[in-house]
Amino acid sequence: MNTVDRPMYGWNAIPWGQLQRKVFKLQKRIYQASNRGDVKTVHRLQRLLMRSRSAKLLAVRRVTQDNQGKKAAGVDGVKALTPSQRLSLTEALKVGEGAKPVRRVWIPKPGTTEKRPLGIPTVHDRALQTLVKLALEPEWEAKFEPHSYGFRPGRSCHDAIEMIFTSISHKAKYALDADIAKCFDRINHQALLDKLHTTPELRRQIKAWLKSGVIDGGTLFPTEEGTMQGGTISPLLANVALHGMETVIAERFPTRNHKRFYTPQVIRYADGTPVQASN
């Protein structure tokens, strides 16, 4: 048995570089299978990754040590974990379980006097969401449209700016700056689940997160639409929900023979990250 897969391997002695390489190789295989349209292989490799102890350890590390909101507590009040507690959490991660409600936190919205709501899942749910994201993200990275830059690995605001500059540098063009109001809050659950077209196990788990409800001021409110801003998988789900925008606009406004008419070019970026609160 590989040393990194031994249950009693100490947290502080885990060879993280080795684990990252192992998980990345599996993610690369998922990406390649998705790129060639092999859905059966994609689902098989995703199940393999989510059962991998290496992926579970990396998910727990990101949530409890790396992420900005690592000290944010959910409804269970759990914050910082000891090394032994992190190992115990790793052993407890299992896809297909239910989900606890998220804790509502209100934070100031940059540049305004308004406040925006965050939903903080428990540490266990955040770690499980990160594990699922490790499996789902490579599949969708092979599908996402080329000019989508928000909440994607290896892409940044600078890439979006460069693409805009390239698009308008040669000829005069009209530019329309549009903002999707309350994007995270208005996502239709059923449409999102249908669009994911994933395994029954993952579908049940993601649906449980979407329908988990919100506790605000001690009162539980149901969640009939939207994704939790504060969950680690929410940015990916939002990108899945918005996927296809470029294609739809291109079909709606096809290029005409006359030189004055061109298909609009859509360049999408998220101007704010749904970070987890630290209080």
Side-chain angles (χ1 to χ4, degrees), residues 133 150-151 184 227-228 231-240 273-274:
K133 183 181 178 183
F151 304 133
F184 280 82
T227 63
M228 70 299 289
T232 57
I233 200 173
S234 297
L236 174 60
L237 295 181
N239 269 339
V240 172
T273 304

Side-chain angles (χ1 to χ4, degrees), residues 154-213:
R155 297 191 173 211
S156 68
C157 177
H158 299 288
D159 297 313
I161 293 172
E162 182 180 0
M163 190 65 233
I164 293 171
F165 176 80
T166 302
S167 300
I168 66 176
S169 59
H170 299 295
K171 293 182 180 180
K173 295 183 180 180
Y174 290 101
L176 173 63
D177 179 15
D179 182 24
I180 302 176
K182 299 184 181 298
C183 176
F184 280 82
D185 300 332
R186 301 287 175 83
I187 293 174
N188 183 284
H189 290 173
Q190 190 59 48
L192 174 60
L193 292 170
D194 292 342
K195 197 170 186 179
L196 281 168
H197 193 59
T198 187
T199 63
E201 182 183 41
L202 270 178
R203 182 185 175 92
R204 286 193 298 269
Q205 182 61 74
I206 293 172
K207 184 177 181 179
W209 286 325
L210 294 174
K211 301 291 187 183
S212 62

Side-chain angles (χ1 to χ4, degrees), residues 35-47:
N35 205 32
R36 64 176 182 265
D38 190 349
V39 178
K40 185 177 180 181
T41 300
V42 167
H43 291 171
R44 178 177 60 83
L45 292 173
Q46 285 175 333
R47 285 191 293 267

Side-chain angles (χ1 to χ4, degrees), residues 239-256:
N239 269 339
V240 172
L242 294 173
H243 174 64
M245 185 184 298
E246 292 182 39
T247 304
V248 170
I249 292 178
E251 292 174 351
R252 179 65 179 83
F253 301 97
T255 302
R256 301 181 185 179

Side-chain angles (χ1 to χ4, degrees), residues 14-262:
I14 293 174
W16 295 108
Q18 184 178 339
L19 267 62
Q20 289 171 339
R21 288 190 295 271
K22 182 177 180 181
V23 171
F24 177 76
K25 287 180 181 179
L26 198 49
Q27 288 182 307
K28 186 177 179 180
R29 291 174 62 191
I30 294 172
Y31 176 89
Q32 291 170 337
S34 178
N35 205 32
R36 64 176 182 265
D38 190 349
V39 178
K40 185 177 180 181
T41 300
V42 167
H43 291 171
R44 178 177 60 83
L45 292 173
Q46 285 175 333
R47 285 191 293 267
L48 182 62
L49 186 147
M50 290 185 295
R51 293 169 185 169
S52 164
R53 180 173 170 78
S54 298
K56 291 181 179 180
L57 285 167
L58 285 176
V60 172
R61 187 193 188 200
R62 288 186 186 180
V63 167
T64 61
Q65 292 185 288
D66 297 342
N67 287 358
Q68 183 177 350
K70 59 188 176 183
K71 294 184 180 180
V75 294
D76 57 359
V78 176
K79 291 185 178 181
L81 301 181
T82 64
S84 61
Q85 288 174 327
R86 294 184 195 123
L87 287 173
S88 298
L89 177 57
T90 301
E91 299 298 325
L93 293 183
K94 183 179 179 182
V95 176
E97 300 176 341
K100 291 186 177 181
V102 299
R103 181 174 69 93
R104 173 69 76 221
V105 174
W106 296 89
I107 63 171
K109 193 172 183 179
T112 69
T113 57
E114 301 178 11
K115 291 187 176 182
R116 64 172 179 170
L118 289 187
I120 310 299
T122 63
V123 173
H124 178 277
D125 280 335
R126 294 205 300 271
L128 193 56
Q129 286 179 18
T130 302
L131 178 64
V132 170
K133 183 181 178 183
L134 287 173
L136 278 180
E137 195 165 57
E139 174 193 359
W140 281 92
E141 278 298 311
K143 299 178 181 180
F144 283 148
E145 292 158 322
H147 299 150
S148 165
Y149 297 98
F151 304 133
R152 292 184 61 185
R155 297 191 173 211
S156 68
C157 177
H158 299 288
D159 297 313
I161 293 172
E162 182 180 0
M163 190 65 233
I164 293 171
F165 176 80
T166 302
S167 300
I168 66 176
S169 59
H170 299 295
K171 293 182 180 180
K173 295 183 180 180
Y174 290 101
L176 173 63
D177 179 15
D179 182 24
I180 302 176
K182 299 184 181 298
C183 176
F184 280 82
D185 300 332
R186 301 287 175 83
I187 293 174
N188 183 284
H189 290 173
Q190 190 59 48
L192 174 60
L193 292 170
D194 292 342
K195 197 170 186 179
L196 281 168
H197 193 59
T198 187
T199 63
E201 182 183 41
L202 270 178
R203 182 185 175 92
R204 286 193 298 269
Q205 182 61 74
I206 293 172
K207 184 177 181 179
W209 286 325
L210 294 174
K211 301 291 187 183
S212 62
V214 177
I215 292 183
D216 189 359
T219 303
L220 176 63
F221 298 92
T223 47
E224 300 299 332
E225 62 179 0
T227 63
M228 70 299 289
Q229 290 196 52
T232 57
I233 200 173
S234 297
L236 174 60
L237 295 181
N239 269 339
V240 172
L242 294 173
H243 174 64
M245 185 184 298
E246 292 182 39
T247 304
V248 170
I249 292 178
E251 292 174 351
R252 179 65 179 83
F253 301 97
T255 302
R256 301 181 185 179
N257 293 330
H258 198 286
K259 294 182 179 181
R260 291 170 55 192
F261 295 93
Y262 297 93

